Amino acid sequence: MRLDDLRAFREVVRQGTATKAAVRLGLSQPTISERIGALERELGGALFRRTGRRLEPTPMGEALLPFAERLLSLEEEARGQARRALGLGARLTLAATPTTST
C-alpha cells in the first residue's frame, strides 16, 4: 500500500470527486483514478460508489479511511521530526506576483 495512493483516496473522500481531488493535489484526474484503482486491486474491492456526480465511500472505503488518516499523519510527523533533527525546522513557502516581488 503506497502513501500516495492513500493520499489520493483520502482527498477523493474529502472532495467527493476525483477531479476536485486532482486539483487539490496538483495531479491529473487519470492519476487519481489510477491510484484509487491500484488500492482497489490490492484490497480486492471497491472503495467508492458513484451517487450522481459524487463518489461516496463504500463500507470498505469507510473502514479504510481512519487507517489512511493515521498513516498519513504519521508520515507528516516523521518528516517534521527528521527536519527538526537536521535543524531545518518548519518549511515556509512564499508566493508573490511579479509586480509585488519587484
Side-chain angles (χ1 to χ4, degrees), residues 1-10 12 17-19 21-22 25 27-43 45 47-48 50 55:
M1 203 174 293
R2 294 175 2 155
L3 291 174
D4 286 339
D5 296 346
L6 291 172
R7 192 172 289 106
F9 164 73
R10 179 182 67 180
V12 171
T17 70
T19 302
L25 294 173
L27 300 169
S28 69
Q29 183 274 327
T31 298
I32 296 294
S33 295
E34 175 53 37
R35 289 181 179 181
I36 298 301
L39 269 177
E40 290 177 333
R41 285 187 299 279
E42 184 175 346
L43 297 172
L47 293 169
F48 294 98
R50 184 166 292 285
L55 293 172

Side-chain angles (χ1 to χ4, degrees), residues 71-99:
L71 287 166
L72 294 168
S73 177
L74 283 171
E75 178 203 24
E76 291 171 16
E77 185 179 342
R79 287 179 188 273
Q81 289 293 332
R83 282 191 207 106
R84 281 189 287 286
L86 291 173
L88 298 177
R91 182 173 27 164
L92 174 65
T93 303
L94 298 176
T97 63
T99 305

